[in-house]
Amino acid sequence: MNRHEVKRQLQQVTMWTVQALDLVFPPRCVSCKHAGHLLCPACLTQILPAPLPRCSHCYAQLDTDGLCSSCRYHPLHLSGLRAFGTYQDVLRSCIHALKYDGCTRLAQPLGHLLAGTFYTHRMRADLLIPVPLHYERERQRGYNHASLLARACSKETGITLREDILLRQRATAAQVGLGPKQRLHNVAGAFSCTSGKHLAGCRILLIDDVCTTGATLEAC
């Protein structure tokens, strides 16, 4: 049994444990804190797509003159970037709870939103790869939130999920609070690819929870 199979089994056990605890301690909505749902129907309806118009390349909101300041000064070297919504309000609460509070079941509704974004923008991909955590950070947290999102998205879209191709070979400081140049320097050389020769001609869809400057995605 390899490391990824062991990890999946441990996550399955964790899910069963959480479901059992819900019977004794009903969950509270991560946004409004009302009891009964981890994300109540009322708050779910408040998670809205990013407002338009958006840059056709990096998906940043356009200036009043119709130009993208991000691509004007710091164009991404990705083929393109798409996001469901902006990191604020209910969506921010959900991502924070998934990432830091152990609310791993939020990956399913959030992954559903990612799958919807994939279809809305008529994207195409051969492989779906989550942004990896360093093994020490994943061990401390108990899971990789990007992997959970990617699994939920893969299940709905049918795109092959690969978690063994991209590795984070160097631990990095958190990107929060860093400027664009600092972010690039922080993740430079932090990732490695285990089987690049098998990726020729493949369309790769990278999945992460939040994109600020795109530095992490570009490093991947």
Side-chain angles (χ1 to χ4, degrees):
M1 185 179 297
N2 62 38
R3 180 168 59 91
H4 294 288
E5 291 173 339
V6 171
K7 184 168 64 174
R8 276 194 287 269
Q9 289 192 3
L10 289 174
Q11 289 169 341
Q12 186 70 35
V13 171
T14 300
M15 182 184 70
W16 290 336
T17 303
V18 170
Q19 290 175 346
L21 288 173
D22 282 348
L23 297 176
V24 182
F25 306 103
R28 290 183 176 274
C29 176
V30 297
S31 180
C32 68
K33 307 305 179 185
H34 288 170
H37 299 274
L38 195 60
L39 178 60
C40 73
C43 288
L44 181 59
T45 61
Q46 296 180 42
I47 301 179
L48 302 174
L52 301 176
R54 293 268 158 181
C55 175
S56 61
H57 180 66
C58 74
Y59 213 57
Q61 193 156 16
L62 297 179
D63 298 336
T64 53
D65 57 4
L67 299 176
C68 173
S69 58
S70 298
C71 286
R72 187 188 306 170
Y73 299 110
H74 304 287
L76 294 178
H77 296 105
L78 306 171
S79 298
L81 189 151
R82 293 293 181 268
F84 169 79
T86 54
Y87 186 57
Q88 60 186 14
D89 303 328
V90 177
L91 185 55
R92 178 173 183 167
S93 297
C94 289
I95 293 174
H96 190 279
L98 168 65
K99 193 170 184 176
Y100 301 113
D101 299 335
C103 297
T104 55
R105 286 172 298 161
L106 285 171
Q108 194 284 322
L110 294 178
H112 174 73
L113 297 179
L114 290 179
T117 302
F118 176 84
Y119 288 120
T120 296
H121 294 283
R122 300 179 180 179
M123 302 168 69
R124 293 187 296 173
D126 301 305
L127 294 178
L128 198 158
I129 299 178
V131 172
L133 285 177
H134 189 263
Y135 73 92
E136 281 292 342
R137 184 167 294 177
E138 185 169 350
R139 183 182 62 82
Q140 293 169 2
R141 187 173 293 172
Y143 58 92
N144 176 8
H145 54 285
S147 290
L148 298 181
L149 291 171
R151 288 173 200 166
C153 185
S154 173
K155 187 175 181 179
E156 290 203 30
T157 60
I159 304 171
T160 300
L161 173 67
R162 293 292 300 269
E163 299 180 66
D164 58 336
I165 291 178
L166 187 63
L167 302 176
R168 188 181 293 248
Q169 61 185 4
R170 177 173 65 80
T172 59
Q175 296 279 68
V176 177
L178 300 180
K181 291 184 178 181
Q182 293 173 312
R183 286 171 178 263
L184 286 171
H185 179 74
N186 187 41
V187 294
F191 302 93
S192 64
C193 182
T194 62
S195 56
K197 64 180 180 180
H198 300 301
L199 301 180
C202 287
R203 295 165 296 192
I204 308 298
L205 179 61
L206 290 170
I207 295 286
D208 205 0
D209 59 330
V210 178
C211 176
T212 304
T213 63
T216 300
L217 292 174
E218 289 211 316
C220 287

